[in-house]
Amino acid sequence: MVKLNPAQLEAVRHLDSPLLVLAGAGSGKTRVITHKIAWLIEDYGVAPSHIAAITFTNKAAKEMKERVGKLIGGRADGVIVSTFHALGVRILRQEAAKVGLKPGFSILDAADTTALFQELAGNVDKGRLRVLQSRISLWKNQLVEPAAAQQAAADEIEAVAAQLYADYERTLRAYQAVDFDDLIRLPVKLFAEHDEVAQRWRNRLWHVLVDEYQDTNRAQYRLLQLLTQGRDSFTAVGDDDQSIYAWRGADSENLRLLKDDYPSLKVVKLEQNYRSTARILQAANTLIANNPKLFEKKLWSEHGQGDAIHIQTCRDGDHEAEWVGSRLSAHRFERRTKFTDYAILYRGNHQARAIEQQLRAQRIPYVISGGQSFFDRAEIKDITCYLRLLANPADDPAFIRAVTTPKRGIGGTTLEGLGRAAGRSHQSLFASIWAPGLDAELNVKPRTALREFGDFIGRIEARAAKEPAGRVLNDLIDAIGYQSWLFQSSEVRESESRWANVCDFVEWLGRKGEEEGKNLLELAQSVALLSMLEKDGGEQDAVQLATLHAAKGLEFRHVFLVGVEEGLLPHRDSLEAAKLEEERRLMYVGITRAQASLTVTWCERRKQGREWMPREPSRFIAEMGEAAQQALKQGNTVPDADTARAKASALRAMLAGKPA
């Protein structure tokens, strides 16, 4: 506790009423959450199993659990530290019957749900399908049921979406499957309709802590209410100035609702920043003051004034990328820093291409945040569809992928016949393999192939319940001949890379089974929520490239914020008041990632398609205050890329002890 400042200490020890901790960027919010968990257990005597800490990512949950472990040792193991979705799975697995599901229900990932929407929507182009899917996801997050969506449909698009929503829900139930939105929506529905179940969970969770509260949607807020109702024993930690996820359903109005729904709410502000210099914080405070405030707060720091913020005007996108690479190299040689000390942040992924090309040309190593997830790789999805089928034989999408990968003489015609038999018997595709009506649909050869596959899955399922997970999965992959099929279906180098991923996955899942004492069936039930945490980050010395959305929660010694111009940041589609406020918060998040130095760049012109379009510096630069405005005026006087490269070359030579 001696490491906590007075505001942090007040937040840790407050228990008399619901608590909102307004935690500014870099103000030590994770320290408050972990110390509060430790204090509840060690000083207040709450059993670890009666505390839940809810975060938004698996990585954050893992880090939080480790930090609590450093404070109180093994007792931390009993605390529930998970994402909202993982908590939802925990609730639904235990209460499945109450919501009409089997405990082994499947969780469909984004690719599965998109494929299902495509199948249900018919000949709809991808852009329109994305709009429909997004609308349905927002309805689920807002706890709007299909019937209510159909009644409230305001236009033709919403009417089509509402009908698709109803069809989609019926199909999910038939598959004994849920999507990610259901992992919050269904527990809310469960608790609202079955008070005895809600009460059982309230008795289990004495205190609930929610991290990144500003990112919650309406369903998550309602889940928090239902979990804590009666005792209202919760700590919500968030920052209204970092609410940047409205596009995916986050509702910053939830902060206002807390104030309205809980009159006894205690608000503690964490305003001391442990990350950035005074100049960086001054710019951030001045910028965000242009947004209307629910709670006033101002970040301050004891890190001194620090370097002046640099604003650079560039001719175009290529010049910007070249200048950033050269400036970064020169700065690194001047300061004797590492590549990991630097981040290049941008509004949209498309901005990364020119920067990547320049970093490669200048031999600067880099990593990109938010690249393809390990679990999104085709070879991993091939294996996980078998696991999903083991856990839930009614999972038709998993069955279709498993029975056709690798190829085993079962194609579209066979599956169509099986589908007709399944429709008549009102069973899943897998169960219909043995349905008497299948004889009328298929010849002996495809029937035999299907039943051999069914028998194989049955044998693996029997072993999966009692043998070590890694051994069973290895045998499954050997039995289906996956390695040889992989090498036959793509060129050697790609096959080797994909097979290495499969081996990594099997080894990791086997280790996870040993560590958690779980068999393959138990691991399979949560496979859609698994994340290869050990693969995150790594120790590579490289510059970090990331979108502003992906950079939230991270910090770097030196930050380059690129493309800060009208039309990009703020985005040209976000100029109405509410969206403009969110764009300003996005800029605020970018500024507050920097610890020691911040460089902002913008281009006088940028290519749009085949045409060059003139650009203006973002209004947000002027809103950063007088120093930024002055720096903007001086932006063209900075040496060009050739001069910067010559300077870097001279520095390299000097460090090597040679004449330049």
Side-chain angles (χ1 to χ4, degrees), residues 464-530:
K466 55 193 180 200
E467 294 181 34
R471 184 200 303 163
V472 179
L473 188 54
N474 254 319
D475 289 351
L476 184 155
I477 291 166
D478 285 347
I480 63 175
Y482 190 78
Q483 183 180 9
S484 57
W485 175 78
L486 203 58
F487 277 82
Q488 286 162 15
S489 57
S490 49
E491 61 98 13
V492 175
R493 187 172 291 179
E494 185 189 346
S495 299
E496 286 172 346
S497 170
R498 292 175 67 189
W499 179 243
N501 288 334
V502 171
C503 294
D504 278 356
F505 175 63
V506 174
E507 191 265 333
W508 174 76
L509 204 63
R511 191 171 67 247
K512 192 174 177 66
E514 286 174 19
E515 288 169 359
E516 299 181 7
K518 288 183 177 177
N519 62 42
L520 192 59
L521 278 184
E522 291 165 329
L523 290 171
Q525 287 180 354
S526 59
V527 76
L529 280 182
L530 296 178

Side-chain angles (χ1 to χ4, degrees), residues 291-362:
N291 273 2
K293 307 291 280 183
L294 187 58
F295 302 97
E296 283 297 334
K297 71 174 187 310
K298 211 163 198 176
L299 297 179
W300 59 275
S301 161
E302 293 179 341
H303 286 331
Q305 282 293 97
D307 293 352
I309 292 172
H310 180 76
I311 315 285
Q312 174 63 22
T313 305
C314 300
R315 291 189 303 275
D316 52 42
D318 289 336
H319 176 226
E320 177 182 56
E322 189 180 3
W323 184 86
V324 167
S326 301
R327 169 85 176 193
L328 191 154
S329 273
H331 189 276
R332 180 171 163 270
F333 279 105
E334 282 170 10
R335 305 293 180 94
R336 306 283 183 100
T337 51
K338 295 182 294 188
F339 286 118
T340 43
D341 292 329
Y342 296 87
I344 302 171
L345 309 180
Y346 35 81
R347 174 66 176 81
N349 276 312
H350 65 279
Q351 293 169 257
R353 187 180 56 81
I355 293 165
E356 282 191 75
Q357 287 171 345
Q358 272 302 321
L359 295 185
R360 281 200 296 269
Q362 298 186 37

Side-chain angles (χ1 to χ4, degrees), residues 10 38 65 83 90 121 157 186 210 225-227 236 278 372 384 496 551 555 562 608 657:
E10 184 182 12
K65 191 105 177 183
T83 63
R90 186 186 284 239
I157 271 275
L186 289 177
V210 181
Q225 281 187 307
L226 288 164
L227 274 173
Q372 187 188 33
T384 55
E496 286 172 346
E555 57 183 43
V562 301
Q608 207 166 304

Side-chain angles (χ1 to χ4, degrees), residues 16-41:
D16 297 337
S17 65
L19 173 67
L20 171 62
V21 181
L22 273 178
S27 63
K29 68 180 176 66
T30 308
R31 187 188 301 174
V32 166
I33 295 170
T34 52
H35 276 74
K36 184 151 195 170
I37 293 169
W39 182 76
L40 283 166
I41 294 166

Side-chain angles (χ1 to χ4, degrees), residues 307-313 323 327 560 597-601 631-632 634-635 637-639:
D307 293 352
I309 292 172
H310 180 76
I311 315 285
Q312 174 63 22
T313 305
W323 184 86
R327 169 85 176 193
F560 289 84
S597 79
L598 175 67
T599 302
V600 175
T601 67
L632 178 60
Q634 297 162 6
T637 63
V638 175

Side-chain angles (χ1 to χ4, degrees), residues 187-205:
V188 169
K189 190 177 165 74
L190 169 75
F191 289 163
E193 293 175 0
H194 300 275
D195 191 58
E196 77 287 357
V197 177
Q199 196 54 52
R200 189 162 66 243
W201 280 88
R202 284 178 207 133
N203 293 340
R204 189 178 300 183
L205 300 179

